[in-house]
Amino acid sequence: MKSKLSIIALVLFAIISTSCAQSGDETNITVKQLKQEMKTDSSVVILDVRTPPELSGPLGKIDGVINIPLQELEQRVDELKPYKGKTINVICRTGHRSRIAADYLLKQGYKIKNVLGGMTQYRAEQ
């Protein structure tokens, strides 16, 4: 009986892990992929969810980004309506806040890509 339960638990774990990994990959983009898209598509939409002081800090900002800090996103989400039909690439310093923002925007019906590694990775790959 114990071995049957162990096997069932392992199978369930494998199914859950696989489905989570697939859904996560669909909503993530690497810095390298983002930079390639920026080269080939001048209308790429990038939402930076850092605070305004961070944009003028050492990591700087990407030209043309939309800046809505994560803590203001729920109140200002309507500012993104013009981009509802496009994929919005969400970035922050390291990827944590952008993941939270991406999850929220997905629930609001937006097409989202979370930029893995954030601006730290973006600057590291220059």
Side-chain angles (χ1 to χ4, degrees), residues 19-125:
S19 64
C20 289
Q22 289 174 345
S23 67
D25 289 342
E26 293 169 6
T27 59
N28 289 321
I29 187 170
T30 65
V31 166
K32 185 176 181 176
Q33 291 169 320
L34 176 64
K35 286 184 174 187
Q36 186 59 41
E37 281 189 23
M38 291 168 65
K39 285 180 186 174
T40 60
D41 181 359
S42 61
S43 67
V44 169
V45 179
I46 302 172
L47 171 65
D48 194 322
V49 295
R50 296 177 296 153
T51 62
E54 288 179 279
L55 298 182
S56 58
L59 292 175
K61 68 175 185 169
I62 301 169
D63 289 337
V65 299
I66 301 163
N67 177 232
I68 303 176
L70 177 61
Q71 59 270 30
E72 299 174 15
L73 185 57
E74 194 172 332
Q75 296 80 25
R76 296 178 56 190
V77 70
D78 286 346
E79 293 176 36
L80 298 173
K81 278 186 180 178
Y83 310 101
K84 192 102 181 204
K86 293 195 66 149
T87 298
I88 300 172
N89 298 282
V90 187
I91 196 165
C92 66
R93 185 174 62 86
T94 61
H96 177 71
R97 286 176 284 177
S98 59
R99 175 78 272 157
I100 295 168
D103 289 344
Y104 171 75
L105 291 170
L106 280 169
K107 291 175 185 167
Q108 303 305 310
Y110 287 88
K111 292 190 278 184
I112 297 298
K113 293 285 185 180
N114 177 47
V115 181
L116 298 171
M119 285 300 294
T120 304
Q121 185 66 36
Y122 187 89
R123 293 299 179 215
E125 292 189 20

